[in-house]
Amino acid sequence: MSTDTRNLTLVQAVRDGLEIEMHRDEDVIVLGEDVGKNGGVFRATEGLYEEFGKDRVIDTPLAESGIIGTSIGMAAYGLRPVPEIQFMGFIYPAFDQIVSHAARLRNRSRGRFTCPLVVRAPYGGGIRAPEHHSESKEAFFVHEPGLKVVIPSTPADTKGLLASAIRDPDPVIFLEPKLIYRAFREDVPAGDHTVPLGEAAVRREGSDVSVYTWGAMTRPTVEAAETLADEGIDCEVIDLRTLSPLDRETIVESFEKTGRAAVVHEAPKTGGLGGEITAILQEEALLYQEAPVKRIAGFDTPVPLYALEDYYLPSSTRIEEGIREAVEFP
């Protein structure tokens, strides 16, 4: 692997990862609404049409079910399609294709066919977008056997996880936190770069409480942890990165060290991944538990429009308050 780096934003890392994989494997195909000449609504595919041509960077009609259905057919016959859904809130028409066909192809064919496709979609709130543009519905797909679900939080992880997803033999839902598409830059390995699926990253080591999060919530969680450190509360922040399969070993290992936990996500609290992580801790580390697991999440409502998003999304202040509750119990 090259030791050279490029200083990239998260969305530039998406584009870099796609370009590298398209050079590495001529079976990698990009398709979706406006991904070709336009370069995508967030410019994640900018220049790929000119570089690889219309047969590998394909503009599609506004029909999400057709985009994913076509991709499943491509994958079954040996290609590695990377379809883009413009916003996660537009993915519902494709839900049937994803769960009824992509997720089941290996099992249905008794292993004769796999479905190596990566569904890319910007997700989450915070950019003052209209209705259906701010959803965080990762739990829908984590619940479905046969799918992997990946959410990066840094540019380097974005490129590495995307490459691993494209090379995976089974379907991957790759959700990109658009709130931080251009929020910061970091050095990203140039050339070939992969990050294994299914492995969490410890963003901050600590001994008092384990805080689990992912995607756009990782940065405010780390900020909250640094603020609480001034109060003498030592947080360990775990960025899960892959939500299916979960890195249960890292989740449990951290909890066995701290005995207290909080989960931070922007999806609605009810039915969110916070509940699943709490169940894992109950099943595998109950005797280490010193306090109820605190869930710091979005509210059980549609994502509100515009300025009310600031109230809906967990802020570093709300995260601090939730972590204090976990630490100060009883």
Side-chain angles (χ1 to χ4, degrees):
M1 185 176 72
S2 171
T3 57
D4 295 337
T5 60
R6 300 179 64 199
N7 195 246
L8 302 177
T9 63
L10 196 147
V11 71
Q12 288 173 331
V14 172
R15 195 252 181 230
D16 192 40
L18 289 171
E19 182 182 29
I20 295 295
E21 289 305 298
M22 293 181 79
H23 276 296
R24 189 189 62 82
D25 184 349
E26 64 180 13
D27 287 334
V28 177
I29 305 290
V30 170
L31 67 159
E33 299 159 1
D34 295 328
V35 301
K37 292 182 178 179
N38 183 268
V41 66
F42 289 102
R43 301 297 181 263
T45 56
E46 189 168 33
L48 297 181
Y49 179 89
E50 291 75 13
E51 187 172 355
F52 295 99
K54 62 181 176 59
D55 291 335
R56 296 187 64 196
V57 183
I58 302 169
D59 279 319
T60 68
L62 302 180
E64 287 76 12
S65 179
I67 294 169
I68 301 304
T70 301
S71 297
I72 293 169
M74 288 178 169
Y77 283 92
L79 297 176
R80 289 187 177 267
V82 186
E84 176 184 294
I85 302 298
Q86 280 193 340
F87 293 88
M88 192 176 193
F90 299 172
I91 208 167
Y92 309 128
F95 193 75
D96 178 47
Q97 292 287 349
I98 293 171
V99 302
S100 299
H101 302 294
R104 297 170 186 240
L105 196 55
R106 178 188 285 275
N107 185 66
R108 180 180 294 156
S109 66
R110 302 297 187 264
R112 183 182 176 194
F113 294 104
T114 62
C115 192
L117 67 83
V118 179
V119 181
R120 291 184 43 248
Y123 89 99
I127 66 166
R128 305 292 194 264
E131 187 183 12
H132 291 305
H133 291 67
S134 302
E135 273 88 338
S136 180
K137 302 289 187 173
E138 62 270 23
F140 285 0
F141 299 103
V142 172
H143 189 67
E144 186 62 32
L147 296 177
K148 295 183 177 71
V149 181
V150 176
I151 303 184
S153 71
T154 71
D157 275 0
T158 297
K159 178 177 176 178
L161 289 166
L162 181 58
S164 295
I166 291 172
R167 299 177 196 187
D168 196 272
D170 293 303
V172 178
I173 307 298
F174 194 87
L175 302 177
E176 300 163 4
K178 62 181 181 294
L179 176 62
I180 55 172
Y181 257 161
R182 295 178 172 85
F184 63 100
R185 292 175 177 271
E186 73 171 7
D187 289 340
V188 177
D192 194 9
H193 170 58
T194 59
V195 173
L197 305 184
E199 294 186 9
V202 179
R203 298 300 182 196
R204 185 185 190 282
E205 293 190 357
S207 58
D208 291 333
V209 57
S210 303
V211 189
Y212 306 101
T213 190
W214 54 89
M217 291 296 100
T218 303
R219 295 185 80 207
T221 300
V222 172
E223 290 174 9
E226 295 301 332
T227 300
L228 291 169
D230 294 335
E231 302 176 15
I233 298 173
D234 194 17
C235 303
E236 180 149 295
V237 179
I238 310 290
D239 176 4
L240 294 175
R241 303 197 293 191
T242 300
L243 302 185
S244 181
L246 281 167
D247 184 351
R248 299 169 74 100
E249 182 177 350
T250 298
I251 290 170
V252 172
E253 186 176 275
S254 178
F255 189 68
E256 288 179 347
K257 181 170 65 174
T258 65
R260 298 171 189 269
V263 185
V264 183
H265 59 67
E266 63 179 281
K269 182 176 181 179
T270 300
L273 262 291
E276 182 63 26
I277 293 165
T278 302
I280 290 172
L281 299 177
Q282 294 281 306
E283 291 169 349
E284 301 190 21
L286 178 63
L287 297 182
Y288 293 87
Q289 187 165 358
E290 298 179 20
V293 177
K294 181 68 180 178
R295 289 182 289 167
I296 306 157
F299 298 99
D300 292 342
T301 69
V303 181
L305 298 180
Y306 311 122
L308 282 176
E309 283 185 308
D310 295 339
Y311 180 74
Y312 178 89
L313 298 173
S315 63
S316 58
T317 300
R318 184 145 71 94
I319 295 168
E320 289 169 27
E321 293 170 353
I323 294 173
R324 280 195 198 95
E325 285 187 35
V327 172
E328 293 173 357
F329 181 89

